Amino acid sequence: QVQLKETGPDLVQLTQTLSITCTVSGFSLTTYNVHWVRQPPGKGLEWMGAMWNGGGTDYNSAFKSRLSISRDTSKSQVFLKMNSLQTDDTAKYFCASSNSGYGVMDAWGQGASVTVSS
Amino acid sequence: DIQMTQSPASLSASLGETVTIECRASEDIYNGLAWYQQKPGKSPQLLIYNANSLHTGVPSRFSGSGSGTQYSLKINSLQSEDVASYFCQQYYDYPYTFGAGTKLELK
C-alpha cells in the first residue's frame, strides 16, 4: 500500500529556510517519482517540483534558485528545502507519488502546514 | 506557463443530478490532463488522468472527456460524498499547472 507522510516545522521565521521530509512506504523511490505541491490557506494548488525515479529533478521556475529537492533512497525519504521564506510561503506542503504517468499524482501525503512568521 | 481556466468556480447541485466542470488550457495540452477531488481538510485524490482514464478505485459515475484545449469532468448521479473541491491539472509541459478549482455543494 502506497503511503507518504510529510514532517516539518509548523513555524518558520521570515527569511529563514524551510526543510520538510517526505517519508514513503509501499514503493521504491527508484521506481516511482515524487512531486512537491503546495496550497496556501483557502487557495489553489501549485506544483513546486519533482524528484524523478532516476534521481533527476525538475523545478517550477517561479521558485527560482531558492528551492532544492533531494532524496535518500536507503531511507525512502525525499527532502524539500526552500530558503528566503516570505509570508506568502505560508501554505500546506504536500508530497505526492507518480506511477500513472510522469506528471500524474496518484497518491498524496496528508500535508505539512507551515506558517511563516515575521 | 500554460494557464488552466476552470469553470464554474462554485456549483450547487441536488442529489442524483449530473454535473459538469470545465477546464480550458491556454494552449493544446494533448490530453495531458488530470482531475483531482479534495474534501475539506484532506489532501487531493486523483480521479482521472490522460483526460479520460479512470484511476483505480474511483466510482464509474466520474468520467472525463475532451481534447486540445477543452476538457471536462462529469459526475453522474451526484452523491453526498461528492461534496468537495475539484481541480484540473495539466502535465503536458513544465511547470505543471492547476486550475483554480470548483467548489461543489449540495443544493
Side-chain angles (χ1 to χ4, degrees):
Chain A
Q1 174 188 1
V2 170
Q3 291 186 314
L4 305 95
K5 184 175 182 180
E6 306 88 346
T7 51
D10 295 328
L11 192 66
V12 178
Q13 296 301 310
L14 196 66
T15 74
Q16 296 304 298
T17 296
L18 171 66
S19 295
I20 303 177
T21 298
C22 175
T23 303
V24 310
S25 60
F27 67 93
S28 168
L29 292 177
T30 59
T31 304
Y32 285 33
N33 308 306
V34 173
H35 299 266
W36 287 96
V37 175
R38 73 176 185 178
Q39 185 173 38
K43 296 191 176 180
L45 301 162
E46 182 176 31
W47 180 76
M48 300 181 72
M51 168 61 73
W52 304 117
N53 56 15
T57 53
D58 273 299
Y59 299 102
N60 186 334
S61 59
F63 297 96
K64 296 181 182 177
S65 58
R66 66 188 187 110
L67 176 64
S68 173
I69 299 172
S70 60
R71 72 180 184 179
D72 184 334
T73 55
S74 67
K75 294 183 178 179
S76 294
Q77 292 179 326
V78 180
F79 309 104
L80 177 145
K81 189 168 288 191
M82 188 164 68
N83 57 32
S84 304
L85 253 61
Q86 301 300 311
T87 55
D88 60 1
D89 291 315
T90 293
K92 182 171 277 192
Y93 288 78
F94 297 98
C95 58
S97 65
S98 176
N99 186 45
S100 302
Y102 283 110
V104 180
M105 297 164 214
D106 42 38
W108 294 62
Q110 64 193 19
S113 289
V114 177
T115 300
V116 180
S117 171
S118 56
Chain B
D1 298 2
I2 297 176
Q3 306 302 313
M4 303 301 292
T5 303
Q6 195 173 331
S7 62
S10 62
L11 180 57
S12 183
S14 302
L15 291 174
E17 199 174 325
T18 294
V19 301
T20 300
I21 298 169
E22 308 280 348
C23 196
R24 175 171 50 86
S26 58
E27 60 184 81
D28 196 328
I29 57 171
Y30 299 94
N31 282 17
L33 184 102
W35 289 97
Y36 300 88
Q37 177 193 67
Q38 185 178 31
K39 298 183 179 180
K42 301 294 187 181
S43 54
Q45 301 296 310
L46 177 66
L47 297 174
I48 301 284
Y49 63 99
N50 292 348
N52 56 24
S53 296
L54 196 67
H55 183 52
T56 304
V58 175
S60 58
R61 64 180 181 274
F62 291 90
S63 64
S65 63
S67 62
T69 61
Q70 301 274 7
Y71 299 87
S72 61
L73 172 71
K74 187 164 78 169
I75 310 173
N76 287 317
S77 189
L78 188 70
Q79 305 294 303
S80 57
E81 59 264 33
D82 300 334
V83 169
S85 291
Y86 293 84
F87 296 91
C88 61
Q89 176 229 338
Q90 68 81 19
Y91 50 91
Y92 171 70
D93 196 14
Y94 298 125
Y96 301 149
T97 47
F98 292 85
T102 294
K103 187 173 183 179
L104 175 58
E105 298 175 326
L106 280 180
K107 192 181 291 182

